[in-house]
Amino acid sequence: MSTTADQHIAYDRLYIGGGWVEPTGGERITIVSPTTEEVIGVVPDGTEADIDAAVAAARRAFDARDGWAAWEPEARNEILERFATAMDERAEESARRTSTQNGMPISIARQLEGPFPGMLVRYYAGLAAAQDREEVRPGLLGGTTRVRRTPIGVVGAIVPWNFPQAITFLKLAPLLAAGCTVVLKPSPETVLDAYTIAEAAEAAGVPEGVINIVQGGREVGAYLVQHPGVDKVAFTGSTEAGRKIGEVCGRLLRPVTLELGGKSAAIVLDDADLAGNMEALFGSMLINNGQTCWLNSRILAPRSRYDDVVETLAGLANGVTIGDPLLDTTQIGPMVSARQRDRVEGYIARGKADGARVVAGGGRPDRDTGFFVQPTVFADVAPDAVIAREEIFGPVLSVIPYDTEDEAIAISNSSEFGLGGTVWTQDQERGLAVARRVQTGTIGINHYVNDPAAPFGGNKASGLGRELGPEGMTAFQALQTIYVDPPQLG
């Protein structure tokens, strides 16, 4: 393993079974900077044989009589506290690696990618220690039973490139606290930051086989999903991929959590103060260069204030600072790859062709290198337009007019997705009343922030199950009922 400079990081091993092992294949993943378009790193490309080795290590660590699952929560907490501290010590490096790989502005990476891992590990370690592992219940027929919460087993965790550290620990923190072991497959676009997790686990003395990391493409991920040694799958990614994973897990009767795509709506009510909430607007609509699953990319505006809303959003998009994601002043960085830039530009072209009006952006900024797209705002968008229905995963907003609150709610609920959303109003009770009618897993009033103490996840095509909150740990636990005292029948 070697690190030569900030511009180039190279690894030649995989982290499996508590140590650094030679990959079974000779292929490599090359990481290209979305800002400079230069190679910034290289790591091994994992194989099915590497997955076999990782699952076997995780299986041993879970099944052993004195394995991770058998530890008392207090004992696990000592290791998890050291792991959280080791991640904290690597927070700046993790943030920089994320920004360098996927274009996330460093200011966002320092808020989310850096501190979230340690925060979540400590949160779930505390929940596990406080949780009653056995509950005694009186039976309706007489007698008593014991209901036990047990770790579900070996987890196959597959994470995307847009928030690689934060999303990894949405899975890693609760499953470790619950007593599970894991094989983690990072996205090939963001593999360098995953090595900070391995290094932190090694430094913290996490027992061998509890955390195993094998990077690779779709084929490696598909092999992990169907592996006979895996007890549960936790996936974050596109709805298309999630459907395929759900089909496999359904056939295998394997528990699965799917956090998928979105096309969330921001419902602007007629009393909203958008000008006084510009930072919150940016955070809910354009954060991470628009590469965010719960992004509020459909803005539903009342006709009585339509021009005002369009003007405000156009000013927001035109006023952001586009540039190198490693600069503190940058608000919008590049798309993660040339392919992603092409995808976003394809949707912009489709919006123009379908008659929507560009009021901000619509092209590329004047830069010599990098996969940049200007933040783009479309007005006069029909609710059934392609740009208003499909997930773009870029800085593209569609402003849709409505006449009544009922119509706004109906438009919001007409989407096949149901992940995020916001309501903008100066009347909180009115906002709550609207929010309760929106068919979505999460929604905010005048802002959108995922609070780790509350469940996060989607309805409809946005996924199955929930992460974060106590519910996030429950997803990695199984229930066992023990019938203790027999009922007195007759």
Side-chain angles (χ1 to χ4, degrees):
M1 174 172 28
S2 66
T3 302
T4 57
D6 286 345
Q7 289 75 28
H8 192 274
I9 300 172
Y11 290 90
D12 57 11
R13 305 287 179 96
L14 298 171
Y15 186 73
I16 296 174
W20 299 96
V21 302
E22 294 277 357
T24 59
E27 297 298 318
R28 295 291 182 266
I29 297 173
T30 299
I31 302 94
V32 174
S33 164
T35 307
T36 66
E37 302 182 42
E38 297 176 350
V39 174
I40 56 173
V42 62
V43 303
D45 192 357
T47 67
E48 293 182 359
D50 296 322
I51 292 290
D52 287 338
V55 172
R59 190 83 262 165
R60 289 191 299 271
F62 184 82
D63 289 342
R65 189 178 183 85
D66 60 349
W68 186 248
W71 287 32
E72 290 297 319
E74 294 76 15
R76 285 199 295 261
N77 283 5
E78 292 183 18
I79 295 292
L80 293 178
E81 175 59 37
R82 294 206 298 264
F83 184 40
T85 298
M87 289 303 302
D88 288 344
E89 293 169 351
R90 291 161 176 79
E92 176 64 18
E93 179 65 13
S94 295
R96 288 184 63 83
R97 289 190 184 190
T98 296
S99 295
T100 302
Q101 292 173 107
N102 71 2
M104 178 187 294
I106 191 66
S107 60
I108 301 300
R110 285 178 176 142
Q111 292 178 48
L112 299 177
E113 293 292 278
F116 251 52
M119 178 195 304
L120 290 176
V121 169
R122 291 187 178 92
Y123 171 70
Y124 281 107
L127 282 183
Q131 186 181 66
D132 291 331
R133 297 186 294 284
E134 286 195 7
E135 175 191 349
V136 179
R137 298 183 186 178
L140 293 180
L141 301 177
T144 60
T145 62
R146 287 180 175 268
V147 180
R148 300 179 61 234
R149 293 182 180 273
T150 64
I152 204 165
V154 174
V155 178
I158 302 175
V159 298
W161 47 259
N162 59 328
F163 288 90
Q165 290 281 301
I167 292 176
T168 291
F169 278 84
L170 262 61
K171 299 161 178 49
L172 208 60
L175 74 85
L176 292 176
C180 299
T181 60
V182 65
V183 177
L184 171 67
K185 193 206 80 69
S187 171
E189 286 85 0
T190 46
V191 291
L192 300 179
D193 62 285
Y195 275 90
T196 65
I197 300 172
E199 291 162 358
E202 183 179 44
V206 174
E208 62 181 45
V210 172
I211 297 175
N212 309 272
I213 303 175
V214 179
Q215 58 271 359
R218 294 180 180 178
E219 296 79 9
V220 170
Y223 186 73
L224 175 61
V225 166
Q226 63 186 2
H227 199 287
V230 168
D231 298 302
K232 177 187 169 73
V233 173
F235 171 79
T236 297
S238 71
T239 295
E240 178 185 6
R243 291 186 195 279
K244 294 176 181 177
I245 291 171
E247 289 174 2
V248 172
C249 290
R251 186 176 69 252
L252 296 173
L253 299 180
R254 178 167 296 168
V256 61
T257 300
L258 302 171
E259 197 275 282
L260 308 177
K263 192 68 179 179
S264 303
I267 300 177
V268 180
L269 299 182
D270 53 18
D271 67 337
D273 176 20
L274 297 187
N277 285 284
M278 296 299 279
E279 184 176 350
L281 282 174
F282 178 86
S284 65
M285 298 177 186
L286 292 172
I287 192 171
N288 195 21
N289 316 331
Q291 298 175 139
T292 306
C293 55
W294 46 256
L295 199 77
N296 291 202
S297 56
R298 291 185 296 153
I299 294 82
L300 312 185
R303 289 190 190 276
S304 61
R305 292 191 55 190
Y306 188 77
D307 291 343
D308 170 47
V309 172
V310 168
E311 182 180 354
T312 299
L313 294 177
L316 174 69
N318 286 328
V320 299
T321 300
I322 304 171
D324 185 339
L326 291 179
L327 296 178
D328 291 335
T329 54
T330 293
Q331 295 170 284
I332 295 288
M335 301 292 94
V336 69
S337 64
R339 178 181 178 182
Q340 183 65 14
R341 179 187 61 188
D342 293 345
R343 169 186 167 85
V344 173
E345 289 182 332
Y347 276 105
I348 293 173
R350 180 60 185 267
K352 293 175 180 177
D354 287 348
R357 177 166 54 97
V358 176
V359 296
R364 298 181 184 180
D366 184 17
R367 296 184 63 88
D368 294 332
T369 62
F371 310 130
F372 290 86
V373 176
Q374 291 175 327
T376 299
V377 179
F378 281 100
D380 304 333
V381 180
D384 60 352
V386 169
I387 60 171
R389 292 198 322 268
E390 298 183 8
E391 185 177 38
I392 297 174
F393 226 63
V396 181
L397 307 179
S398 297
V399 190
I400 302 167
Y402 72 85
D403 290 305
T404 66
E405 283 186 16
D406 286 346
E407 183 186 7
I409 293 166
I411 293 172
S412 177
N413 291 341
S414 67
S415 172
E416 68 169 324
F417 300 105
L419 183 56
T422 50
V423 181
W424 301 84
T425 176
Q426 296 185 68
D427 183 341
Q428 186 175 91
E429 289 304 314
R430 183 185 180 194
L432 284 167
V434 171
R436 292 184 178 114
R437 296 176 62 193
V438 179
Q439 297 166 0
T440 186
T442 62
I443 191 166
I445 309 296
N446 296 322
H447 77 289
Y448 187 96
V449 176
N450 295 135
D451 191 304
F456 170 74
N459 303 338
K460 300 187 282 188
S462 289
L464 296 171
R466 292 295 183 268
E467 296 179 315
L468 293 177
E471 296 81 0
M473 188 168 68
T474 301
F476 295 104
Q477 294 175 319
L479 296 177
Q480 181 188 43
T481 298
I482 303 175
Y483 305 112
V484 182
D485 299 320
Q488 302 299 315
L489 302 176

